Amino acid sequence: MVVLVVDPPKDPVALDTTLDRVDGVKRAGQGRRERIGGVSNDVRRLLIVHRTISPALHELFDAVRQGAATDEVEGVEVRTCAASRASVADVFEADGVVLGTPVNIGDMNGALKHFFDTIYYPCLEETRRLSYALYVHRNSDTAGGVESIAAELGWERVHQPVTVLGTPEKDDLAACWELGATVAATISSG
């Protein structure tokens, strides 16, 4: 299994900018478009698009990342990218996406909204049937904005959203681990 992840710093303010890229990876010609066009590639790519701004979100993100990188699933490369930096090319290269966000004022964080604003029209037809899952941290009720946009894009949810209220408990982290592993296993089977 090929897994590429970046160990984050303990400072939650710096998390978004350091959890998002891997060094020295040549990705040209290995993306989703080439595989759709008929070029076979045994390695599947899971993109985790996240907004990790608090210790609680970092715990959830880390559990998802560990689940996605489990040795129980083979042939999946895990890539993490801050929502503020994720691009259309990142999505085109992915076989599956995990979205992570805090809830602010009843809906997804602005960084994830910006991600959707950036990728929506270019990905609208190109990424139909893309596997995805969602984890959310909230301090109050949440609306289904992410689910609505993913449905409009034609993405296929492969795991129920994990929503955590307050400090993540052991069961919350286990649910996030399972979410990451489920998406990785889904895309590893082709």
Side-chain angles (χ1 to χ4, degrees), residues 82-175:
S84 60
R85 293 186 178 184
S87 69
V88 171
D90 294 323
V91 177
F92 280 171
E93 290 180 346
D95 297 289
V97 177
V98 173
L99 305 165
T101 184
V103 171
N104 298 324
I105 313 172
D107 207 349
M108 75 183 102
N109 179 271
L112 194 62
K113 168 103 172 52
H114 172 76
F115 164 73
F116 279 125
D117 287 346
T118 302
I119 65 106
Y120 186 83
Y121 285 108
C123 291
L124 189 57
E125 295 301 322
E126 294 290 329
T127 62
R128 295 255 176 222
R129 299 177 43 108
L130 185 69
S131 298
Y132 87 97
L134 168 69
Y135 67 95
V136 177
H137 181 262
R138 63 187 176 96
N139 291 320
S140 62
D141 278 341
T142 178
V146 173
E147 297 265 68
S148 297
I149 294 169
E152 289 174 16
L153 285 166
W155 293 2
E156 295 181 354
R157 185 177 66 195
V158 296
H159 193 284
Q160 288 293 327
V162 174
T163 302
V164 177
L165 177 60
T167 303
E169 301 292 332
K170 185 176 180 179
D171 289 347
D172 299 324
L173 299 177

